Amino acid sequence: MKLKRAHQQVAELLLDAETVVAFTGAGISTESSIPDFRSPGGIWDRFDPDDFTIERFYQDPKKYWEKRLELHRAFRFEEAQPNPAHHAVADLERMGKLNMVITQNIDGLHQAAGNSEARVIELHGNVREVKCMVCEARYPRESVWEEVERGDLPPRCERCGGVMKLATVSFGELLPADALRRAEQAARTCDLFMVVGSSLGVEPAASLPRNAKWHGAKLMIINLEPTPLDRVADIVIHEKAGACLTEILSRLT
Ligand code: NAD
């Protein structure tokens, strides 16, 4: 009953809001079989976060690529498909009810569900591309994947010969400045900021909901577990994102 009331309240906020931002994290993709970092069975149960820092990459790029390949083989990112939560977020855009998706995810599932490129800000990069760490040229990941799987590592830039890395943001690496600037602008100017599937434990991304609230937006959090911002949020729902967003969307039509 309490849950139904919360769904109804969110639906009403969505109907009233003029500028809506969705802020998503690894939790929106667990129902697509991509584990998050910190939940039981998550990525950090099988991998060491220290192997994914930018320092490690510069120390030993070959080892970085071997670890990335191991991670890809363990979790099969390429086979993941959008789940009902991604579809609900895409439906919000189709209904004209969503201005921007800011995602910490690197899996590209928002675009796969139908959100337009222009309305998705990838704060932590993506796994669709590789980038040259010298001249910053970018290439589709497929263009180097065969050599990566053969163990011909690290892949080199065909333009300058520089060492390449996946176009994801490693721990200790700066966030893409343009993405961060656009995300901050969206957070400052929206009137409803919806967090979906994030522990809100990673900075600077987690400061965005705080900024949105500070600038007057309503803050809504859908996450299985409590987050540090639950006590300042206007609505908090501890439920799976797929069922929750589907239920909320059904109240909009
Ligand atoms: P996180 O692992 O810190 O937190 C995920 C949260 O989602 C947890 O609090 C968990 O309770 C919740 N959750 C899990 N399944 C859920 C579901 N079905 N419905 C609702 N909530 C659910 O992840 P984060 O906050 O995104 O933070 C950190 C980092 O994780 C980011 O840097 C991101 O790049 C990276 N990451 C991304 C992917 C991906 O692209 N799919 C996967 C793993 C990690």
Side-chain angles (χ1 to χ4, degrees):
M1 190 60 193
K2 251 169 102 181
L3 211 52
K4 280 191 175 160
R5 237 184 92 217
H7 295 150
Q8 185 58 32
Q9 281 174 333
V10 176
E12 283 165 18
L13 281 181
L14 275 165
L15 287 170
D16 286 350
E18 287 192 357
T19 320
V20 178
V21 167
F23 177 75
T24 65
I28 197 171
S29 293
T30 54
E31 293 170 69
S32 295
S33 302
I34 303 179
D36 60 17
F37 276 159
R38 296 171 182 80
S39 297
I43 291 175
W44 297 153
D45 278 356
R46 290 174 64 178
F47 289 86
D48 180 353
D50 288 345
D51 283 330
F52 296 92
T53 63
I54 192 69
E55 289 82 10
R56 277 293 162 86
F57 170 80
Y58 283 121
Q59 278 162 3
D60 191 344
K62 183 170 189 289
K63 171 110 182 282
Y64 160 89
W65 275 102
E66 285 166 354
K67 281 284 161 198
R68 287 305 314 204
L69 195 57
E70 209 184 305
L71 185 81
H72 268 70
R73 285 181 174 147
F75 296 117
R76 299 178 178 275
F77 289 103
E78 293 81 7
E79 290 167 22
Q81 296 296 323
N83 68 54
H86 297 105
H87 288 301
V89 173
D91 284 345
L92 281 176
E93 182 183 329
R94 275 190 284 272
M95 294 160 77
K97 288 279 21 157
L98 185 74
N99 295 72
M100 203 59 82
V101 184
I102 305 170
T103 188
Q104 299 171 88
N105 293 345
I106 54 173
D107 54 35
L109 291 180
H110 286 299
Q111 296 91 324
N115 283 111
S116 53
E117 280 293 340
R119 290 193 193 270
V120 180
I121 302 174
E122 292 175 317
L123 280 181
H124 295 168
N126 66 71
V127 287
R128 297 184 302 280
E129 295 173 311
V130 290
K131 60 181 177 190
C132 173
M133 298 304 275
V134 178
C135 75
E136 297 184 359
R138 285 178 177 248
Y139 305 91
R141 180 171 47 83
E142 291 77 43
S143 66
V144 300
W145 208 243
E146 241 178 73
E147 57 187 290
V148 168
E149 291 206 302
R150 259 200 325 269
D152 200 357
L153 297 169
R156 297 264 172 192
C157 175
E158 62 187 46
R159 199 160 83 183
C160 77
V163 172
M164 297 211 287
K165 179 182 166 298
L166 270 180
T168 55
V169 176
S170 298
F171 294 114
E173 195 175 4
L174 287 178
L175 265 62
D178 186 53
L180 187 57
R181 187 190 49 73
R182 289 172 60 220
E184 284 169 346
Q185 159 89 3
R188 272 199 308 272
T189 53
C190 68
D191 47 24
L192 177 60
F193 193 94
M194 300 172 37
V195 174
V196 185
S198 175
S199 63
L200 297 180
V202 180
E203 293 291 350
S207 62
L208 293 168
R210 269 201 308 269
N211 276 341
K213 181 79 186 148
W214 178 251
H215 283 90
K218 297 267 189 223
L219 176 61
M220 186 204 111
I221 300 177
I222 300 171
N223 199 60
L224 273 183
E225 293 161 14
T227 80
L229 291 193
D230 284 7
R231 68 201 154 79
V232 296
D234 296 275
I235 302 184
V236 177
I237 306 181
H238 294 143
E239 188 185 14
K240 283 195 169 184
C244 181
L245 284 174
T246 305
E247 186 58 41
I248 290 166
L249 269 271
S250 74
R251 289 158 193 262
L252 292 183
T253 45

